[in-house]
Structures are given as C-alpha cells and as structure tokens.
C-alpha cells in the first residue's frame, strides 16, 4: 500500500493487476483511491467506473450515476453543432481497436452490409496498429484515418472535412476513448455503440444503441442519450468463412468451459462454478484466458478453487492462441458457463455458433444482461437464470447426455439466426 503513495497512476495500475486476476472488490477499492487523488482525470474516473461493473452490488442506476459524474471530467469545453452538416451517406466510426475482438466480430459484419448498401464509411482509429484483421477494416472503409496523435481540434476538423453526418463511438469510457473530443461535438449526430454497454454520460452524445433485454425501457432515465432499441439484440455476429464445423455431439466426458477473460472470474462466479462442480463430481472445468501460459497464474487460480474443495486435477487451463484454435476447442466443452456480473458477449456468440449450450445469469445492469439478451433473441431463454441457484441447476441439467444432445439440436436449428 505504501508503494502507491500519492501517485494515482500507480493506484490505477494496482487496480488493473487485481482486476486481471479476478479480484474485483479489491480492484475497485484501488481505482477509488486513484480517482480521489486525481479528481479531474476523466480516464481515472473511467477506470473506477469500469472496475465497478464487475461488482454484484452495482446496478444500471448506480453505474449510470457514476458514468455521468465521470463524464463531467471530459466536458472541458462547450459543445456546439458543427457548421458543416455532413453528407447523409457518410458514416464515421471511432475505435482504438480495429483489430481482433468485439469490433471485428460484432461491428465488422455491419460495416460490410453498410458498404454493400452504398454508404461511405470513414474509420477513425485511436491507435496506429495493424493486425491480421485490420486489412478487412481498411477494405470496407473508403478512408481509414489514425487519429491517436491528433488533438481534439484537429480530430474535429478531419471529421468535418470527411463530411461525416453520423459518428459512431465504439469505445465509450473504455481505455483509448476520445470522449473529451466527442463532448465538444464532432459530428451533427453522435451515437454510442460497439464495445460500450452503458451511458457515456456525455450530453453531446445523441443516441445509444440497445435492445429490450440489456436496456429495458424503464432504465432510459439512467442514460444521457436517447436509447434506440434494436428489436432483438443490439449486435450482429458473424464467424470467419473458414470457421470450424459446429459441434453436433457433446464430448464423451463432462467438461464445463469458459473462454472469458480472467477478470470476469469474480468471487460470485467462482462460488457458483464450485457448486456446479460439486454437483457433477466427474466433471472438469476448462478455463481459457490470457496469462495462463504463466505457471504462477495457473497456481493462483487453482488455489482459489482449492479453498472451496476443488482440486487442481479438475481444472484444465489454456492460454490465448489463435481465434481458430479457440473455436476448435469448443469441441471439448459440454456446457459453456457465462461469468457474472460482467457477462461474456463474443464468447457467448462463439460458443453458441459452435453448437455449445450456454448458461447465463441475468443481472441488474446492461453488461450483466448481455448473454441474456443474446439467448433471448435466439429463443433460448430456458438457459437464462434469474438467481444463482437456478444458474447452477440449469448448468448441471444441461450437462446430462440426453438433455445436452437435445439442447445442441435445438441450438443447431437456430444457427441461421446467429449470422
């Protein structure tokens, strides 16, 4: 503790380290210290907000309030509508992550469709990076512009010069955001979507794209934006053309699985998974996450389960590798377990697309209802639990051979709704 002193960045980094190993409560405490030490820093306020989304005690109301308080730190100048109205067929998209991950899986399919419909797309990248998927973004965009070194004024000038009429922010209050620029209004219409799942709290953001389950109408009052609800799910999804074949049959032995980030393995989630393993003594749990190539992290995670009586032989660890390999490894999984309160999203889509049933707990905030939204849209609401007891019951039941086989057939019949 003394090492942190009065350096807010050190406290934030301390919080990041704790969050990344699943210690959500302790991480939130450290983010709170960092935010108090730098009360004008929007990015440190956002770190506290993001850390709070991993807590069971938080709701849309409390997170929305924190988002608006943090947004005040980004609103350093007056917002004014651009003089240039933009071109009606020119859409802009900002993200620091035009690479593998949620933007590639959930947004790129929409960009391809918009291009096919004749819209001119301008992508503003928060980082000057290249990855295997970046050429696909460059191909769909008429202009791909790195703005990470531009100040707010220059960023705004480029947006207007490109004639952007609608600017989609795909980042929200996540790291790499440009909310200070967006708060000054870069385009006539500004919409929050993509990686972000909550209000930005920024008055100059006009709309938020949601859906009926993740963002029910009674919670509109917690958004500074007007919520535009898509009728089924707020996201589209697609897999690469060369994705592996879906798994029509469950593995011989029961294997629960989660391919989510380790930060989502909160204590509440761990306790539920322990109960599931206790109910199915022959089952194992496959965890795939960045960092598991390190023996120390595998040991740390094993010890968390061991404290509740689950020995290390029942755990199987995989580190991050290629996306193709991750999809192939779903062949090992009987039932995918969704973490909470910070649900999976792409991982939920991936499991379902590979023919693996997913059990989810519907929570009290948008990010805690992401998987419930996906499953409801696919008419698979029976796999959504309203409390931890029913979450455990559903997972155990779905692991039984007959019911699992029936669930896979039901899921495969709905594959056309996933793309």
């Amino acid at each position: 503790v003394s090492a942190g002193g009065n350096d807010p960045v050190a406290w934030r980094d301390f919080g990041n380290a704790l969050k990344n190993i699943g210690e959500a409560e302790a991480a939130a405490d450290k983010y709170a210290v960092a935010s108090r030490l730098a009360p004008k820093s929007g990015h440190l306020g956002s770190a506290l907000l993001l850390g709070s989304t991993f807590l069971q005690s938080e709701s849309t109301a409390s997170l929305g309030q924190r988002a608006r308080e943090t947004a005040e730190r980004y609103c350093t100048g007056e917002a004014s509508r651009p003089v240039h109205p933009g071109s009606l067929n020119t859409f802009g998209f900002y993200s620091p992550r035009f690479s593998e991950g949620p933007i590639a899986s959930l947004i790129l399919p929409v960009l391809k469709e918009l291009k096919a419909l004749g819209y001119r797309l301008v992508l503003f990248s928060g980082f000057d990076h290249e990855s295997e998927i970046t050429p696909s973004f460059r191909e769909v965009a008429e202009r791909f512009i790195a703005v990470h070194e531009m100040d707010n004024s220059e960023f705004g000038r480029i947006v207007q010069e490109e004639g952007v009429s609608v600017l989609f922010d795909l980042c929200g209050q996540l790291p790499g955001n440009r909310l200070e620029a967006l708060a000054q209004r870069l385009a006539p219409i500004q919409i929050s979507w993509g990686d972000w799942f909550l209000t930005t709290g920024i008055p100059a953001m006009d709309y938020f794209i949601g859906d009926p389950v993740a963002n029910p109408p009674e919670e509109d009052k917690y958004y500074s934006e007007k919520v535009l609800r898509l009728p089924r799910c707020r996201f589209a999804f697609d897999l690469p053309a060369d994705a592996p074949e879906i798994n029509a049959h469950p593995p011989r032995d029961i294997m629960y699985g989660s391919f989510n980030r380790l930060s989502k393995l909160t204590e509440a989630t761990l306790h539920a998974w322990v109960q599931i393993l206790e109910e199915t003594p022959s089952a194992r749990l496959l965890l795939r996450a960045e960092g598991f190539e390190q023996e120390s992290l595998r040991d740390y995670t094993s010890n968390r389960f061991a404290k509740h009586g689950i020995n290390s032989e029942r755990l199987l660890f995989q580190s991050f590798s290629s996306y193709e390999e991750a999809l192939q490894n779903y062949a090992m999984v009987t039932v995918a377990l969704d973490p909470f309160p910070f649900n999976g999203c792409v991982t939920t889509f991936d499991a379902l697309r590979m023919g693996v049933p997913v059990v989810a707990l519907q929570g009290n905030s948008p990010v805690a209802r992401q998987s419930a939204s996906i499953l409801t849209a696919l008419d698979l609401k029976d796999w959504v639990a309203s409390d931890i007891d029913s979450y455990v019951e559903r997972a155990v039941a779905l692991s039984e051979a007959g019911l699992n086989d029936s669930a896979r057939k039901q899921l495969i019949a709905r594959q056309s709704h996933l793309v």
Side-chain angles (χ1 to χ4, degrees):
V1 174
S2 61
N6 291 321
D7 182 353
V9 174
W11 283 100
R12 181 205 61 193
D13 292 345
F14 192 2
N16 286 343
L18 290 167
K19 184 186 74 174
N20 289 342
I21 59 174
E23 298 289 351
E25 297 282 353
D29 290 341
K30 306 307 178 280
Y31 290 135
V33 174
S35 186
R36 285 197 300 270
L37 289 172
K40 295 183 179 180
S41 170
H43 295 290
L44 292 178
S46 291
L48 174 58
L49 171 62
L50 184 58
S52 299
T53 61
F54 290 83
L55 304 179
Q56 279 285 90
S57 57
E58 297 288 346
S59 65
T60 307
S62 61
L63 293 171
Q65 177 62 30
R66 193 181 300 280
R68 289 190 293 274
E69 291 172 354
T70 302
E72 293 177 0
R73 304 183 183 190
Y74 290 109
C75 297
T76 57
E78 289 188 13
S80 58
R81 188 170 293 274
V83 174
H84 194 294
S87 172
L88 291 179
N89 76 327
T90 299
F91 289 175
F93 296 81
Y94 171 77
S95 175
R97 287 170 283 278
F98 288 117
S99 57
E100 289 79 5
I103 301 302
S105 295
L106 306 177
I107 305 302
L108 185 55
V110 178
L111 298 181
K112 291 178 178 178
E113 185 67 19
L114 288 172
K115 181 179 181 179
L117 291 172
Y119 287 92
R120 177 176 179 268
L121 306 181
V122 183
L123 304 189
F124 300 99
S125 175
F127 288 114
D128 188 13
H129 56 66
E130 292 289 335
S131 70
E132 290 186 5
I133 196 69
T134 304
S136 296
F137 286 104
R138 291 186 178 276
E139 181 180 342
V140 80
E142 181 166 316
R143 294 270 284 152
F144 189 97
I145 305 171
V147 298
H148 62 291
E149 293 184 346
M150 295 183 185
D151 62 19
N152 296 335
S153 177
E154 179 69 3
F155 187 9
R157 183 183 66 79
I158 293 295
V159 170
Q160 292 199 32
E161 284 184 356
E162 291 296 330
V164 173
S165 60
V166 182
L167 180 60
F168 292 82
D169 173 49
L170 308 178
C171 184
Q173 292 208 25
L174 292 173
N177 75 68
R178 293 300 298 266
L179 289 183
E180 188 174 305
L182 290 162
Q184 297 177 27
R185 186 170 289 282
L186 304 182
I189 298 175
Q190 300 189 148
I191 301 178
S192 177
W193 190 36
D195 256 356
W196 194 238
F197 41 80
L198 190 69
T199 181
T200 62
I202 300 293
M205 296 300 296
D206 302 295
Y207 300 101
F208 174 92
I209 295 181
D211 65 54
V213 175
N215 320 97
E218 61 267 23
E219 294 186 353
D220 283 4
K221 58 190 174 185
Y222 304 126
Y223 288 78
S224 58
E225 307 87 355
K226 179 179 176 58
V227 180
L228 299 178
R229 285 181 191 81
L230 300 182
R232 295 172 63 236
C233 181
R234 65 187 296 255
F235 292 122
F237 175 76
D238 201 3
L239 280 179
D242 58 353
E245 293 293 323
I246 63 175
N247 306 315
H249 304 289
R252 184 183 63 182
D253 299 318
I254 298 174
M255 178 78 78
Y256 298 106
S258 172
F259 291 7
N260 289 274
R261 287 173 291 159
L262 188 55
S263 58
K264 298 184 179 184
L265 184 52
T266 61
E267 279 299 304
T269 296
L270 185 142
H271 288 166
W273 292 359
V274 165
Q275 291 181 58
I276 291 168
L277 291 170
E278 289 175 341
E279 292 285 333
T280 46
S282 64
R284 300 181 70 194
L285 173 62
L286 170 60
L287 298 174
R288 176 185 180 272
E290 184 177 8
F292 278 147
E293 67 278 3
Q294 303 173 30
E295 184 179 1
S296 59
L297 192 53
R298 296 196 300 271
D299 289 344
Y300 178 83
T301 305
S302 291
N303 288 336
R304 292 181 68 192
F305 280 90
K307 291 177 181 177
H308 301 281
I310 304 299
N311 63 51
S312 60
E313 287 74 21
R314 301 188 65 189
L315 304 176
L316 181 62
F317 298 107
Q318 291 181 347
S319 60
F320 271 7
S321 52
S322 69
Y323 187 35
E324 180 182 6
E325 184 175 336
L327 295 175
Q328 290 173 342
N329 287 343
Y330 276 109
M332 303 170 61
V333 179
T334 311
V335 179
L337 302 178
D338 192 49
F340 56 87
F342 202 124
N343 292 173
C345 187
V346 172
T347 51
T348 301
F349 276 117
D350 286 343
L352 296 172
R353 183 62 180 86
M354 297 311 298
V356 179
V358 178
V359 174
L361 176 64
Q362 184 164 335
N364 298 318
S365 70
V367 76
R369 296 190 289 257
Q370 289 188 142
S371 291
S373 168
I374 296 166
L375 291 168
T376 300
L378 292 171
D379 196 23
L380 297 169
K381 198 168 183 180
D382 286 348
W383 301 351
V384 179
S386 58
D387 55 49
I388 292 176
D389 287 344
S390 58
Y391 175 91
V392 173
E393 290 171 3
R394 281 167 167 76
V396 172
L398 275 173
S399 72
E400 297 174 2
L403 188 55
N404 189 273
D405 196 56
S406 174
R408 286 171 183 262
K409 290 178 181 177
Q410 181 184 17
L411 178 54
I412 291 170
R414 287 169 170 73
Q415 287 294 312
S416 61
H417 297 294
L418 267 166
V419 293

